[in-house]
Amino acid sequence: LDVEMDQCAQHLMAIAHTTEVAKAVVAVLADAGSRLQRCSTSKLNPELGKDCEEAMSVASRSFLDACGGLGAVLIGMASAISQNVMLPLESFHRNAFADHARKAKALEELRRKELSCSNAVTEALQKRDRARVGLQSAMRDQEKTEKKATEKKKSSLA
């Protein structure tokens, strides 16, 4: 229970920190939005126009610089993902596919061997059954011959 409480406290602290960051972001965005609105209304007030033009120029340059930096970060992230995720996944896929193909081939060979062995067992059982039938027939013939021979002896003795 203490562990759960500590985990809850940590989660709450994380949520509080996130909330503070969100508040700061909202404040910055609100301030930037307000400044942009003031600059967009500068056409109505020529005295604010010069200051806003300079501020807009700085803001535009900053925004474009930030976008350029963000683009570089995204390209770096894409490269990192490619190097650290995609290439290993592709390699894993190739190896897994090759392993699967190798095992599928081995399994097919085992199935062929099983079928061959099964056919050989079936053939051996059929040969055994034919031999048994032949042996039983020969034994019956032998018994008949012996019975006739015994009857002939009895009749010749009588």
Side-chain angles (χ1 to χ4, degrees), residues 58-103:
V58 169
S60 293
R61 274 195 306 273
S62 295
F63 178 71
L64 292 175
D65 288 346
C67 288
L70 180 59
V73 167
L74 292 174
I75 289 169
M77 182 184 276
S79 177
I81 288 171
S82 176
Q83 293 294 318
N84 298 319
V85 177
M86 292 305 298
L87 290 177
L89 281 176
E90 288 172 349
S91 176
F92 174 77
H93 181 264
R94 274 192 307 276
N95 292 338
F97 184 78
D99 189 45
H100 178 267
R102 192 172 40 257
K103 287 180 179 180

Side-chain angles (χ1 to χ4, degrees), residues 14-30:
I15 290 169
H17 179 70
T18 304
T19 302
E20 292 302 315
V21 170
K23 284 181 184 178
V25 169
V26 167
V28 168
L29 290 174

